[in-house]
Every structure is written in C-alpha cells, then in structure tokens.
Amino acid sequence: MTGILGRLRSIGRGTVVDSPEGSPRRTARDERKRTYNLFEAAAVYVAACVEDDQDRIDEAAAWVSPEALSFGVNELACRAVVALARERGESPQVVARTLLGLPVA
C-alpha cells in the first residue's frame, strides 16, 4: 500500500517507509517526526494541482492545517505574480488579470 494511508498504517509498527532510490531508508517513526514547512506544503500542493496528481495533493494537504496551506498558496501566488511582472516589465495587476484570462482594467 502506498501513499499517505499506507504511511499512516505503518506508523507505530516500526515498519520501513518507501524512500526514493539512493536515499537512506526511513522508519515510520522517522516519517512521523518529519515536520513540514507551510511553504514546502504549498509548493508541493500547487505543483501537484498543475500535474493533476490527486495522491500528492492529498499528501501535501495533510502536512499542515488548511489555514496554513491557504496562506502558503496565497504567498506562492503573490511571489509568482511579482516575479512574472518583473520579468515581463508589467504591473502585478496586469499579470494577475492576464493569468486569469480577465480583461486588463
């Protein structure tokens, strides 16, 4: 069993959690102790949404509270719009409206 449910079921049993090749194996106890930064959760969540990866969306959403995730996604959106605006030489408002397919006001 993979994904968050498999990891949750393995916690407390001392079982080994799957890890990418070449990385050290972690036990379920190590996985439970792992804390996630809200920005890390937001980055994974947004990237998973773009890739339509529901398992990864669910996993990232479980790392932090819904409020923290919302804050992180908002901060990511703000930073992305500012970066694109600088790159394009446009205002953040123009970039945000363009990304959403809205007419430029």
Side-chain angles (χ1 to χ4, degrees), residues 75-98:
E75 186 65 22
L76 177 60
C78 290
R79 291 179 187 196
V81 167
V82 167
L84 280 172
R86 287 181 183 153
E87 184 179 293
R88 295 177 179 181
E90 298 175 339
S91 73
Q93 182 176 356
V94 168
V95 170
R97 295 183 68 84
T98 301

Side-chain angles (χ1 to χ4, degrees), residues 54-69:
Q54 190 62 50
D55 290 337
R56 196 75 172 138
I57 290 169
D58 295 341
E59 183 178 4
W63 292 346
V64 295
S65 71
E67 295 82 10
L69 183 60

Side-chain angles (χ1 to χ4, degrees), residues 1 16 18-19 24 31 38 53 75 80 88:
M1 177 173 289
V16 174
D18 292 336
S19 60
E31 186 72 10
L38 70 98
D53 183 345
E75 186 65 22
R88 295 177 179 181

